[in-house]
Amino acid sequence: MSTVNIESPRAPRGAATRRGVNLEKWGWIYMRASGVVLVVLIFGHLFVNLIAGEGVKAIDFAFVAGKWADPFWIAWDTALLWLALIHGANGMRTIVNDYASNALLRTIFTGALIVSTVVLLILGTLVIYTFEPCPVGAPADLLPSFCAAGRP
């Protein structure tokens, strides 16, 4: 009677199995999950901004100020910003890994991608959370017309 040696078809003979977190798997899962959530966020954003109101002609400083006066829309736009930027950066990282054959170039491109993503996330989040359409002490001639209506 002979014995049959059954080896895993996925790992070459003698290959060490890696233990720990599989970042590529989690990146793949993130792309699918964030893609589904982004479809809802984007179409909700487009519906509110373009269809529910007066269309694109109504989008101005006052429209954004009114929208960001509601914490729901602040959270909505923050989620849209973060998910879209990280989704796009992860997609770009995949392209860099696929097409940059030089290890040094791949490292430079990935580093530049991380830095630009972090900077854009910080700046975008700061804009959303520090937006003040009617700052106290600003000259009245520089403020939008809707700010002057509430002043004595």
Side-chain angles (χ1 to χ4, degrees), residues 85-109:
L85 267 171
I86 295 171
H87 185 96
N90 193 30
M92 289 300 298
R93 181 195 59 83
T94 303
I95 291 171
V96 167
N97 286 341
D98 286 347
Y99 291 105
S101 56
N102 183 321
L104 178 63
L105 275 179
R106 188 169 42 251
T107 302
I108 291 170
F109 289 154

Side-chain angles (χ1 to χ4, degrees), residues 133-144 147-148 151:
C134 303
V136 177
D141 59 329
L142 297 179
L143 292 174
C147 291
R151 291 192 174 184

Side-chain angles (χ1 to χ4, degrees), residues 5-6 13 25 29 45 78 90 105 107 113 117 119 124 146:
N5 186 8
I6 300 176
R13 185 186 312 233
K25 177 184 87 169
I29 291 170
H45 177 84
T78 302
N90 193 30
L105 275 179
T107 302
L113 184 60
T117 301
V119 167
F146 63 84

Side-chain angles (χ1 to χ4, degrees), residues 3 8 18 21-22 27 38 46 48-49 53 55 71 73-75 85-86 91 103-104 112 116-117 124 130 132-133 142:
T3 60
S8 171
R18 288 182 45 192
V21 178
N22 184 345
L38 277 168
L46 291 174
V48 167
N49 290 345
W73 289 114
I74 290 174
L85 267 171
I86 295 171
L104 178 63
S116 62
T117 301
T130 63
E132 180 58 51
L142 297 179

Side-chain angles (χ1 to χ4, degrees), residues 50-99:
L50 302 176
I51 298 171
E54 298 176 30
V56 73
K57 67 181 178 198
I59 299 176
D60 58 3
F61 188 85
F63 178 83
V64 174
K67 195 173 161 193
W68 282 352
D70 184 357
F72 174 79
W73 289 114
I74 290 174
W76 185 285
D77 287 346
T78 302
L80 184 60
L81 170 76
W82 277 74
L83 286 173
L85 267 171
I86 295 171
H87 185 96
N90 193 30
M92 289 300 298
R93 181 195 59 83
T94 303
I95 291 171
V96 167
N97 286 341
D98 286 347
Y99 291 105

